[in-house]
């Protein structure tokens, strides 16, 4: 491990030995450990909520729809929607939960302390923010940063699905329980979603789940597990494209 990476891991609060001895079970090859988790959109969808057809939209048209979206009540409370940002041809896509107050003001994802920790996590695996694409399940801030209601997440899902199609990433790193449940269409506890590679159907993308940086700020003891998740993500991303 070089000195720079060691310093970044130290800043994340990760003991160096963890890189050599991850706490999760030993990993098989990504292809062998892929688990199919079914369709992206949860089957129990109220009629009319997820039927938005954005499949043919390009980036500008999609961003325009998100900017003017009024599909759910969150539109009324936003300063602006937060579409996503970064490299639109990235190999890595990061999926979070939704904008907070800072993101709502600035219109950019992952600002503030959670965003800084996410930057450190990415740096630890040799990535910088402009090299990935970041988006959220929700494009509008939920009041008081409460958890999104399932119907709100479903309203937003066609936008995220189209972003995934357009980016065409080799690996999606999904941050936290809310994002994982919405994206994968499951209700499995986060601890059981970690440590394996999920396949997102029908888009056919590989997804690795880890803790949300906001949760890590409150529970720094879990950072070591995140380092193991990042290693799985790197291994998976390497297997996707030469
Ligand atoms: N900011 C985001 O954009 N997403 C999150 O999930 C948290 C903070």
């Amino acid at each position: 491990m070089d000195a720079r990476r060691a310093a970044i891991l130290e800043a994340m609060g990760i003991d160096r030995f963890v890189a050599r001895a991850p706490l999760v079970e030993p990993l098989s090859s990504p292809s062998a450990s892929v688990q199919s988790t079914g369709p992206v959109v949860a089957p129990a969808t109220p009629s009319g909520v997820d039927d938005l057809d954005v499949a043919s939209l390009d980036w500008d048209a999609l961003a325009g729809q998100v900017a003017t979206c009024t599909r759910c009540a969150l539109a009324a409370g936003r300063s602006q929607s937060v579409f996503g940002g970064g490299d639109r041809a990235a190999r890595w896509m990061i999926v979070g939960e939704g904008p907070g107050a800072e993101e709502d003001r600035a219109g950019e994802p992952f600002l503030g302390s959670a965003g800084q920790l996410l930057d450190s996590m990415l740096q630890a695996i040799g990535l910088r923010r402009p090299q990935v694409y970041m988006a959220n399940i929700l494009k509008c801030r939920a009041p008081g940063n409460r958890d999104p209601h399932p119907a709100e997440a479903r309203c937003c899902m066609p936008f995220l699905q189209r972003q995934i199609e357009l980016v065409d990433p080799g690996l999606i790193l999904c941050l936290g329980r809310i994002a994982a449940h919405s994206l994968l269409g499951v209700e499995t506890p986060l601890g059981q979603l970690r440590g394996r590679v999920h396949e997102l159907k029908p888009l056919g993308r590989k997804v690795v789940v880890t803790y949300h940086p906001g949760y890590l700020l409150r529970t720094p003891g879990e950072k070591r597990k995140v380092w193991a998740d990042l290693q799985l993500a790197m291994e998976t991303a390497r297997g996707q494209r030469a």
Side-chain angles (χ1 to χ4, degrees):
M1 181 185 303
D2 63 38
R4 189 174 147 275
R5 182 163 299 189
I8 291 166
L9 291 178
E10 200 170 315
M12 281 180 65
I14 294 171
D15 296 335
R16 285 186 204 185
F17 77 88
V18 176
R20 298 192 295 273
L23 296 184
V24 292
E25 57 274 14
L27 302 171
S28 49
S29 73
S31 55
S33 62
V34 167
Q35 309 253 339
S36 175
T37 53
V40 179
V41 180
T45 305
S47 63
V49 171
D50 72 338
D51 59 357
L52 185 69
D53 184 9
V54 293
S56 63
L57 298 187
D58 64 13
W59 279 110
D60 287 348
L62 187 66
Q65 285 229 2
V66 169
T68 56
C69 178
T70 54
R71 302 189 85 215
C72 80
L74 295 180
R78 72 180 178 222
S79 308
Q80 59 192 312
S81 57
V82 179
F83 179 65
D87 181 356
R88 290 177 170 182
R91 289 179 63 190
W92 284 61
M93 186 159 171
I94 313 295
V95 173
E97 179 179 326
E102 274 189 70
E103 291 86 359
D104 174 74
R105 271 192 299 274
E108 296 291 329
F110 279 105
L111 305 175
S113 46
Q116 282 169 16
L117 181 52
L118 178 57
D119 287 341
S120 297
M121 290 162 55
L122 293 174
Q123 277 181 49
I125 52 172
L127 289 172
R128 289 176 299 106
R129 182 180 279 248
Q131 294 175 295
V132 304
Y133 189 82
M134 294 182 181
N136 286 307
I137 298 291
L138 285 190
K139 308 304 189 204
C140 296
R141 185 188 180 207
N145 293 335
R146 64 158 168 77
D147 288 353
H149 296 151
E152 293 163 350
R154 284 197 293 272
C155 281
C156 263
M157 191 52 78
F159 299 131
L160 180 62
Q161 284 181 304
R162 184 64 186 145
Q163 286 174 300
I164 293 170
E165 283 174 358
L166 287 167
V167 174
D168 191 20
L171 186 276
I172 298 172
L173 183 65
C174 188
L175 303 176
R177 174 182 58 88
I178 301 283
H181 286 180
S182 297
L183 186 66
L184 299 173
V186 298
E187 295 186 352
T188 312
L190 188 87
Q192 291 171 31
L193 294 173
R194 293 183 49 252
R196 58 198 174 114
V197 182
H198 304 265
E199 187 177 338
L200 190 62
K201 290 182 176 174
L203 301 174
R205 299 285 157 239
K206 302 289 184 279
V207 180
V208 170
V209 175
T210 193
Y211 292 109
H212 191 284
Y215 170 78
L216 288 181
L217 289 169
R218 299 188 299 275
T219 321
E222 303 286 44
K223 286 180 182 174
R224 292 187 297 170
K225 294 182 186 170
V226 171
W227 178 236
D229 297 336
L230 291 174
Q231 288 179 301
L232 173 59
M234 279 195 291
E235 186 183 318
T236 307
R238 269 192 224 113
Q240 289 300 301
R241 293 180 195 171

